[in-house]
Amino acid sequence: MRVATGFVLCALACACGDSGTSNDGGADASSDAASDGGGQDVTEAGPSCGSGAWLTYGHDGARTFASDGCVQGPLTVAWSYSPAPPASATVNAVHHALAASDAVYLQWAASDGPYIGTTAADKVSTTGTRVWTFDSGSDANMGDWASVSGSNLVIDADGVYFVPLADGKMTVTTGVDWWGQTIADTAGGVWFADTSKSDGPGLFVGELDVTAKTLWQGNKQGTNCGDSLGDVMGGIALDGGTLFYAPSYTAGGSVQPTFTSGLYAFDAAAGTPKWNVQTTPTSTISAGNGLIYLIEAGAVVARKESDGSVDWTQPLAGAGAQAPVLADGLAIAAGNAGVSAFDAKTGKPAWSTALTGAAARAYTLTLTNGCGGSQNLGAAIATTMAAAVPSDTLVVTASDGVHVLSLATGADTWTGKVTGAKNVVHDPVIVGKTVYVVDSPPASIGGFGPGQLIALTGK
């Protein structure tokens, strides 16, 4: 799809190199007082510090945002990295990173004027040097989170691209005009949600195999070029052999969605629908403890995995679009006033910590393209929270820098500004004792603007 950059950025709510590296020296700081769930409780990663990879949105298929790493302040800048665009091009956006103990995968967009930008990714060493660059040459990278599945980096951003981790040379693709979240399956494919009709195949949830063949699809809608349907949340989470899908459907023209916004459950292997309930998600979803967690109508809501019925709910003003973090027996979400934690099983409030700009936001685009009329492109979801369970800490990016909170009490144990960051940092990813963040502009958190990848190391 050829999408011009003269778009309207519609915030659902507002918050908050080259081949070498730049060593920024450290952070100016001051001290202040998981798996797919497997149908089991998602609570603790264990007492010892590990170096498990963070290879999809939310760390794992259940979207727990809980790592086995250990992070204590102070955090210092180990290195920073800026992607190098092709000759005569510029960097339009730096989106977010995935990471393992031996490499980091940075998604970004090169300029493709007058369009939004290409779907590009760099493999970066853990010392901050470029290993390879993949660039699809497409034109509408919305920053949807990639996943590592088997031996491939799978990017679902203006097409699904299977990019080998070894050399960055794409093997297969669906073709352009697919966007949305992905989750790795055990055979090298991905579960996915396609969040915009636009010029593409329509809205649906399903599974692709490693050859980019569709194995199954559900909630299929939008078959004509001008249908203008969108899904501005598109959250998916996997737990206990069930794929949960939480769309928030929109219509940009006269055609109305066939399915209602809500929460849907599918057999992950066969795609057979299990149940659905009607609601309007305003966040993506996480799953564990037999519950699905999300934000609905200004509240943190936990629904039963068995039938979607509400198990507990707690109000949270200005709640963000990041799926609730599931760590240390807590469900944690951020709102206008700061970060709040609740007992994951009962919903009982555990603690609240005042922070400004800690609520991650979603955005969507309204634009005119080759189909004619108004088209909706689904949201890419920025993040601000990541848990390091063995160290009992929660890393939060906010307007004033990076915070390290106690998971047990919410106490702000360390706060620091990131030296060399050009904008507010966001999308924290934890591997071992390293926190990776990006610093694209705050008006486009998770979205449109140049920036850099920054590696922070702690004690």
Side-chain angles (χ1 to χ4, degrees):
M1 179 175 69
R2 309 300 288 179
V3 183
T5 54
F7 54 78
V8 178
L9 184 65
C10 300
L12 301 183
C14 297
C16 48
D18 52 24
S19 297
T21 65
S22 59
N23 295 315
D24 295 332
D28 300 324
S30 60
S31 294
D32 297 328
S35 70
D36 72 356
Q40 299 177 358
D41 291 354
V42 179
T43 53
E44 299 186 25
S48 60
C49 299
S51 57
W54 192 300
L55 299 180
T56 189
Y57 173 79
H59 177 272
D60 48 62
R63 311 312 202 191
T64 64
F65 293 88
S67 78
D68 67 353
C70 288
V71 177
Q72 302 279 4
L75 301 179
T76 57
V77 176
W79 49 264
S80 62
Y81 172 88
S82 298
S88 74
T90 59
V91 176
N92 270 15
V94 171
H95 291 301
H96 54 258
L98 303 175
S101 60
D102 61 349
V104 186
Y105 303 94
L106 176 68
Q107 188 183 149
W108 60 285
S111 61
D112 186 20
Y115 307 103
I116 289 171
T118 68
T119 297
D122 284 1
K123 180 178 181 178
V124 183
S125 76
T126 54
T127 58
T129 58
R130 186 179 73 90
V131 178
W132 52 249
T133 294
F134 162 76
D135 193 335
S136 70
S138 60
D139 56 51
N141 181 359
M142 302 300 162
D144 296 286
W145 285 76
S147 295
V148 172
S149 183
S151 60
N152 292 299
L153 176 67
V154 185
I155 310 171
D156 187 2
D158 200 7
V160 183
Y161 305 93
F162 286 74
V163 181
L165 302 179
D167 59 15
K169 297 179 180 179
M170 183 192 73
T171 54
V172 294
T173 178
T174 57
V176 298
D177 295 335
W178 296 52
W179 294 269
Q181 288 194 9
T182 56
I183 297 172
D185 67 21
T186 57
V190 290
W191 289 280
F192 68 92
D194 194 33
T195 57
S196 179
K197 168 60 185 88
S198 301
D199 296 340
L203 273 62
F204 52 103
V205 63
E207 185 180 11
L208 294 172
D209 70 12
V210 72
T211 70
K213 175 185 176 182
T214 301
L215 298 177
W216 63 264
Q217 58 182 297
N219 283 38
K220 173 72 174 179
Q221 55 188 318
T223 57
N224 299 313
C225 194
D227 283 352
S228 304
L229 298 176
D231 171 6
V232 297
M233 277 299 135
I236 54 174
L238 179 70
D239 194 27
T242 299
L243 185 73
F244 302 100
Y245 172 46
S248 180
Y249 293 125
T250 63
S254 59
V255 177
Q256 296 300 309
T258 305
F259 296 88
T260 61
S261 299
L263 186 62
Y264 293 78
F266 297 88
D267 180 279
T272 308
K274 290 187 171 183
W275 52 258
N276 68 84
V277 294
Q278 185 173 349
T279 186
T280 303
T282 58
S283 77
T284 53
I285 55 174
S286 50
N289 310 298
L291 300 171
I292 308 109
Y293 302 85
L294 71 161
I295 308 298
E296 303 175 33
V300 182
V301 179
R303 291 179 174 270
K304 295 177 181 178
E305 290 188 0
S306 59
D307 60 10
S309 61
V310 174
D311 191 75
W312 61 260
T313 182
Q314 287 285 356
L316 184 63
Q322 177 178 348
V325 174
L326 302 181
D328 202 27
L330 300 172
I332 307 167
N336 286 343
V339 178
S340 296
F342 308 91
D343 184 284
K345 292 184 178 180
T346 67
K348 181 180 178 181
W351 51 259
S352 293
T353 301
L355 293 175
T356 301
R361 302 306 179 186
Y363 64 85
T364 186
L365 297 179
T366 301
L367 49 85
T368 300
N369 64 16
C371 286
S374 176
Q375 297 280 321
N376 292 305
L377 290 176
I381 307 298
T383 68
T384 58
M385 298 182 292
V389 177
S391 58
D392 192 40
T393 52
L394 179 74
V395 175
V396 183
T397 58
S399 300
D400 59 349
V402 180
H403 297 253
V404 180
L405 307 185
S406 165
L407 274 175
T409 66
D412 196 344
T413 63
W414 180 88
T415 301
K417 292 185 179 297
V418 179
T419 302
K422 298 176 176 63
N423 296 288
V424 174
V425 298
H426 51 92
D427 294 311
V429 165
I430 298 171
V431 176
K433 295 183 178 180
T434 302
V435 182
Y436 298 98
V437 294
V438 295
D439 71 344
S440 51
S444 56
I445 283 182
F448 306 99
Q452 58 187 330
L453 167 67
I454 301 172
L456 306 172
T457 56
K459 293 195 301 182

